[in-house]
Amino acid sequence: MADHALLSRLDLNLLVSLDALLTERSVTRAAERLHLSQPALSASLARLRTHFGDPILARRGNTYELTPFALRLADHTTLALDAARRVFESQATWEPTESVREFSIYGSDYGFTTIGRVVSELAAKRAPGVHFRFMLHNPVVVEDAANRLRSVDGMVIPHGILTDLPYLDLWRDEWVAIVADDNDAVGDALSEEDLVRLPWVMNYQTRSAFTSAERQVQQLGIEPNVEVVVESFLALPRFIEGTQRLGIIQAALAPIAMRSGGVRVVGLPFEPTSLVNALWWHPVHAHDPEHTWMRALFEEAGTLVGAGRH
């Protein structure tokens, strides 16, 4: 009862004001963003300061900075506001052809280039008012996936990283190695000696961000000489072109890398484990008819991508 009593005394519009203040770090800019007068937003800031017992914005010279407490609030505020929007955007009956819903999906540039593109094309034909927002994930987002997925619709990421969340398998892909097309030191296939000798470009290299192929290399007892880490699969070939470096990318991206020129595909000295790409979501979306429709769209797109029809 205490929690309900506390919420009943709060004006949830303050959440909108708080989000704008945390984003803009200025009463003037936040008021402009919300189309409010500056005195009106100043009054909201005063109420927020009283509620939290913290200044939220602290003057430093001629500017304002967020207090340490306000910095801690930033992520929670965004998640809470997104969740509130979802509640009030929900409809008792939902017709895709009449909907203007925006679905938010985390993923990598690999996921967006492959299945994301196909999903957007299918949606445009069947529900022209529906939109997709594809957002690049990063190690912080992936490590906090169980929480982040409360306020977005899903994350496209292969098996082996997330657990204990609902998922839908989409399609399988393979790993291939690439080197510069003028790298005469490498033939049609890499040797284990090449893996040790040549410098690497890797996509991710943290506890929660890695590729299964790179993990296999380490399991062979090889510690790659990592010269560059770039958190983009599409950009990786550009860091290999004209160098002695090597890298590993998904087979679906190899044609794109080859069309751009400067690199060629070579064999690996081991059998790389296939990656199974999947769509993951939070259980809170399980019975949402709009989300169910979106998942069916991803399933159809996964079939098309897996069959090489896109």
Side-chain angles (χ1 to χ4, degrees):
M1 290 296 293
D3 289 342
H4 291 299
L6 176 62
L7 283 174
S8 68
R9 293 197 302 270
L10 290 177
D11 177 0
L12 292 183
N13 284 322
L14 288 176
L15 187 62
V16 178
S17 298
L18 178 60
D19 180 66
L21 288 164
L22 294 176
T23 301
E24 300 296 340
R25 305 188 180 198
S26 161
V27 173
T28 301
R29 291 196 300 271
E32 291 173 352
R33 174 178 172 175
L34 298 178
H35 305 289
L36 296 174
S37 68
Q38 188 167 329
L41 196 59
S42 293
S44 295
L45 176 58
R47 293 178 63 188
L48 289 165
R49 284 170 165 168
T50 299
H51 174 78
F52 289 115
D54 185 88
I56 307 297
L57 288 173
R59 181 179 288 278
R60 183 178 293 274
N62 295 324
T63 62
Y64 283 92
E65 292 184 354
L66 297 182
T67 65
F69 175 74
L71 288 170
R72 283 164 39 205
L73 283 179
D75 282 346
H76 296 300
T77 301
T78 300
L79 291 173
L81 189 58
D82 285 343
R85 286 195 186 104
R86 288 176 179 280
V87 169
F88 290 101
E89 286 175 356
S90 297
Q91 299 171 297
T93 58
W94 187 70
E95 176 55 49
T97 57
E98 299 175 1
S99 175
V100 292
R101 174 162 173 173
E102 179 180 86
F103 293 99
S104 299
I105 306 293
Y106 275 122
S108 66
D109 54 359
Y110 159 64
F112 300 158
T113 304
T114 50
I115 197 164
R117 179 177 63 85
V118 180
V119 165
S120 69
E121 291 174 357
L122 293 175
K125 295 175 182 176
R126 300 173 189 176
V130 168
H131 301 88
F132 280 86
R133 180 182 296 271
F134 293 107
M135 306 174 296
L136 286 171
H137 63 45
N138 56 49
V140 174
V141 169
V142 173
E143 288 178 6
D144 191 36
N147 185 42
R148 298 291 182 123
L149 286 174
R150 286 181 176 274
S151 60
V152 301
D153 294 289
M155 181 181 295
V156 175
I157 198 168
H159 280 274
I161 300 172
L162 302 185
T163 58
D164 302 324
L165 287 167
Y167 65 87
L168 171 68
D169 287 342
L170 299 174
W171 86 102
R172 287 181 175 268
D173 205 347
E174 306 297 331
W175 294 104
V176 297
I178 57 173
V179 298
D181 56 10
D182 58 357
N183 186 347
D184 297 332
V186 176
D188 293 333
L190 293 165
S191 65
E192 289 195 16
E193 181 184 350
D194 291 330
L195 300 184
V196 176
R197 176 177 58 86
L198 297 175
W200 282 69
V201 180
M202 282 196 172
N203 302 101
Y204 298 93
Q205 200 180 29
T206 71
R207 178 177 59 84
S208 63
F210 54 85
T211 68
S212 58
E214 290 164 354
R215 181 60 56 88
Q216 281 185 267
V217 170
Q218 293 177 319
Q219 290 171 344
L220 291 173
I222 297 171
E223 287 301 325
N225 170 23
V226 181
E227 201 163 87
V228 179
V229 176
V230 54
E231 295 185 0
S232 165
F233 293 103
L234 289 173
L236 186 144
R238 305 284 69 82
F239 288 82
I240 292 175
E241 179 182 356
T243 74
Q244 294 296 299
R245 298 168 180 161
L246 68 91
I248 298 177
I249 62 171
Q250 301 89 341
L253 293 186
I256 298 175
M258 299 285 283
R259 284 198 299 271
S260 298
V263 297
R264 59 190 173 95
V265 173
V266 294
L268 285 161
F270 60 90
E271 187 66 31
T273 302
S274 299
L275 66 157
V276 180
N277 295 291
L279 174 70
W280 305 76
W281 63 90
H282 193 277
V284 71
H285 303 306
H287 303 297
D288 178 355
E290 301 169 41
H291 198 275
T292 301
W293 177 86
M294 183 206 73
R295 297 198 300 264
L297 208 64
F298 267 91
E299 184 173 25
E300 181 179 351
T303 300
L304 293 172
V305 173
R309 292 169 59 185
H310 276 267

